Amino acid sequence: MTGFGFTCTGVRADPYAAGPTLVFRLRVTADPDTRVHALALRCQIRIEPARRGYGPAEAAGLADLFGERSRWGTSLQPVQFAQVAVMVPGFTGETETDLVVPCTYDMDIAATRYFEALQAGEVPLLMLFSGTAFTGEAGFRVEPVPWDREAAYRMPVAVWREMVEQHFPGCGWLRLPRDTMAELLAYRSRHALASWEATVRALLDASDDAADAARPAPPGAVRPGALRPRLTERTAP
C-alpha cells in the first residue's frame, strides 16, 4: 500500500466565491517511486477546542456550547466543521492542491458559534483523510487511502473574520421559521418600514416602552401624564 502523507500549509478566504468560502492549501506526498494517476480524496475537518486557551470574554461566548469553565474538563469535545471531497491530479512524489471548504454564517451551527466567540489567536483544526488512489506504472491499480492519515493545522481567527466581512460586512445573520418570518414581513409592510433593521429596531423600541410602562414607579415619583391641570371656577363679575 502506498504511503501517503498530508500537510496543510496555509488557508485564505476566497474573495470571489458566491458565499463564504475558505481555501486550504494541501500538500500531498507519496512514496518516491510510486506513480499516482489520480487521487479521489475525502477530508473531514473538525475543531479541537481543548488545544487552545480562552480569555474571559471568549469563555462567556462559548458557554452555550460547552457550559461553564468548571465543566470544560469533560465538555470541551471536538466540533464537526466540514466534510469535503477533492480530486487530486496525477503526480509522482509530491504535489499541492486547494481544498475548498464552503462555510456558513448560520449561528445555529456549532462551528460558526465557536468561531464567532473567538476574538484572536488560532483555531486548532484536525483534518482526517480517506479516499481512493489510482497508482501504478504500467496500467493502474486501485487502493484505499489509509484511514489513519491526518494533519493538524492552526487556522488564524483573522482569516475567518476576513471571510465573514467579505460577505456580511458589519452584519450578523439570523435564521427564523417561515411562519415567524411571515409575521415579521406583515409587520414591516403594515408600518411601512424601509428595512429589516428598521423593523427589528421598531420591535425593540416597542418592547422597551412596554417594559418601562410595566415597571413600578419609585416612591414619590410621578409618571408623565399623571398630573392634570387644576380647573378653577370663574367668578361672577
Side-chain angles (χ1 to χ4, degrees), residues 23 25 45 48-49 77 85 137 143 178 185-186 192 195 205 215 220 222:
V23 181
R25 191 64 176 171
I45 307 176
E48 301 280 301
Q77 298 298 318
E137 294 295 338
E143 57 180 294
R178 187 174 290 109
L185 181 59
S195 65
D205 290 344
R215 188 179 298 116
V222 179

Side-chain angles (χ1 to χ4, degrees), residues 137-162:
E137 294 295 338
F140 66 88
R141 67 178 183 270
V142 179
E143 57 180 294
V145 175
W147 281 85
D148 62 350
R149 305 294 93 169
E150 60 184 42
Y153 181 68
R154 301 186 74 86
M155 181 182 74
V157 174
V159 175
W160 170 268
R161 296 199 173 278
E162 176 189 353

Side-chain angles (χ1 to χ4, degrees), residues 9 22 32 37 44 46 53-54 56 59 81 91 118 125 136 141 158 214 229:
T9 62
L22 293 173
H37 299 287
Q44 176 187 350
R46 69 186 188 192
Y54 303 93
F81 175 32
F91 66 96
L118 302 185
L125 300 176
R141 67 178 183 270

Side-chain angles (χ1 to χ4, degrees), residues 3-74:
F4 288 102
F6 302 92
T7 306
C8 183
T9 62
V11 63
R12 70 180 191 276
D14 187 351
Y16 305 109
T21 302
L22 293 173
V23 181
F24 293 87
R25 191 64 176 171
L26 196 64
R27 179 181 297 138
V28 184
T29 60
D31 294 336
D33 298 330
T34 301
R35 172 62 180 168
V36 180
H37 299 287
L39 182 59
L41 192 63
R42 294 186 298 274
C43 179
Q44 176 187 350
I45 307 176
R46 69 186 188 192
I47 302 166
E48 301 280 301
R51 295 187 178 182
R52 61 156 286 169
Y54 303 93
E58 293 174 328
L62 294 171
D64 286 345
L65 286 178
F66 306 120
E68 298 299 324
R69 194 187 285 269
S70 59
R71 298 176 48 202
W72 283 10
T74 57

Side-chain angles (χ1 to χ4, degrees), residues 79-98:
V79 176
Q80 178 74 11
F81 175 32
Q83 189 161 344
V84 294
V86 61
M87 182 62 73
V88 181
F91 66 96
T92 300
E94 179 181 306
T95 189
E96 291 195 0
T97 189
D98 286 339

